[in-house]
Amino acid sequence: MVVSIMGIVDAYSNGSLHNHNGLEEKLDELRALVGKGDSDPLIIVSVGAGAWGSVFAAILQDTYGQFRDKIQIRIWRRAGRSVDRGTAEHLFEVINSREDVLRRLIRRCAYLKYVEARLGDRTLFADEILKDGFCLNMIDTPLCPLKVVTNLQEAVWDADIVVNGLPSTETREIFEEISKFWNERITVPIIISLAKGIEAALDPVPHIITPTKMINQATGVPMENILYLGGPNIASEIYNKEYANARICGAEKWRKPLAKFLRQPQFTVWDNSDLVTHEVMGGLKNVYAIGAGMVAALTNESATSKSVYFAHCTSEMIFITHLLAEKPEKLAGPLLADTYVTLLKGRNAWYGQMLAKGQLSPDMGDNISGKGMIQGVSAVEAFFKLLSQSSLNVLHPEENKPVAPVELCPILKTLYKILISREQSSQAILKALRDENLNDPRERIEIAQSHAFYKPSLLGQP
C-alpha cells in the first residue's frame, strides 16, 4: 500500500496526472493550429524579462514544460546587467528563507555563487540569476528555472509565438531589430503583447499608437496575428496562484485557442475582439495610479482622501473612454477592476508614493532599479499631448465654448505638471483635489454620457 501511494505521488509530481486533466490535449490542439509536425516542438519566446514577462514564461514552463518533445519555452533579456551588492544580500536572504529554493539550487550546484555574491566576492548578473528563477524586478518571488537567451536573433528567429514583455517605450526599437531576423521566414509568428502604454502621434491627425500597432509597423506581421493580454492582476500574486483573470484580445482565429491554452484553474482567461480599446485602457490606468500613490503617501494612507481621489480619477477615465470608444459602458468592468488593483499594489502607485515621500524624484527617470520601467510616466505625457490638441476640442458644458479635452481632466493636467514639465511638486495633487472650483465627479460623468464626444480618429479609425 505504501508503494502504491508513493507511486501515485510520483506520478502526480511528474505531471502524468496533469495529462488526464487535458493539458497535453490543449497543447496538441494549439500545435495543430500552428501547423507543427510530430517531431517539431512549438517554440514560445518571451522577449523582455520584467516581472510580468518573466512570470508569463514561468507559468508556461510550470504548466507545459513537462512535454519537452512538444514545446520549448525560453526568455530573452539583455546581457550585462549586474546585480548590486544590496540586492545580492537580499536575494541570499530570500533563498535561505525558502527550503524548496535552497534545495533546488544545491541540487543544481548553483548555491555557492549566491554565497560569494553575499560576501561581495562575486558579481551576479541578471540573466544569470534568471536562469535560476530570479527576476531582478521581483526578487521576493522565486520562479522556476528558465531557459534564458541573451542573443536576440538566437531567441526569436524560429519562434512560433512571441510574448512581448517589453515596456511600451522599448517595444518599437526591439521589434524593428527582430524584423531583420524574420526576412526569410515562411510562416508568420503569433505575437502576444503584455505591454501597457501608448505613443501619441499628431500627424496627419492626433491619434494613439499602441504597442500592438508598434509591432505591426515594425515587423509587418498582420494585426490578425498580434494580440493583447491584460487584466486586473499583479505578477507575483499570479505566480503564487492567487486567483486572477485576464482578457486576450484580437482576431478570433487566435484569441479563442490561445485563451483556452493559457487558462488555468487559478488564472481565468477570457477572450474579446476589441484589442485597441482594451490596450489603451491598460495604459490609461497607469496614469492615475501614480497620483493614487502620491495621495496615499501625502495623507498618511487616509481612506477618505484616497476615496476622493478615486472618485475624481475614475470620472476622468470615464470621460476619456467616451472620447475613445463608441460604447464605453462595455469597458466599465474591466477598466475599473484593472484600475483598482493597480492603485492598490502596482509599481506605478509605488512610484507615486516614493515621489511624495521624497525618496525618488522625477529627475531620476522612469526606469527604477528593482522595479523596472514605470510606464505611467510616458503615458501621462502621451495622453496630455494628445488631449491638448485643439482639433479635438469639445464644448465645455458650463462655459459653452470649445476647449481641448484635457481642460476637463484636472488630475491629468496636474500629473503632467508634476512629472513632465516639473513645474509643481507632488503636493499639487492634493491642491487639485481641494480646489473649490473642481467639478463634482458626477458632473463630469454626466457630461461624458450626455454629449457626443466619441472621436474614432483617436484610435486611428475613420
Side-chain angles (χ1 to χ4, degrees), residues 109-136:
C109 301
Y111 180 65
L112 182 58
K113 65 186 176 188
Y114 294 99
V115 176
E116 293 173 340
R118 166 66 179 82
L119 296 172
D121 296 335
R122 174 176 178 155
T123 299
L124 296 171
F125 291 90
D127 57 293
E128 176 186 19
I129 66 173
L130 187 59
K131 292 176 182 177
D132 292 326
F134 302 110
C135 170
L136 190 58

Side-chain angles (χ1 to χ4, degrees), residues 33 224-225 227 250-258:
L33 284 171
E224 72 170 11
N225 274 46
L227 303 101
E252 184 172 349
K253 176 183 178 181
W254 293 116
R255 74 171 192 266
K256 289 187 178 294
L258 284 170

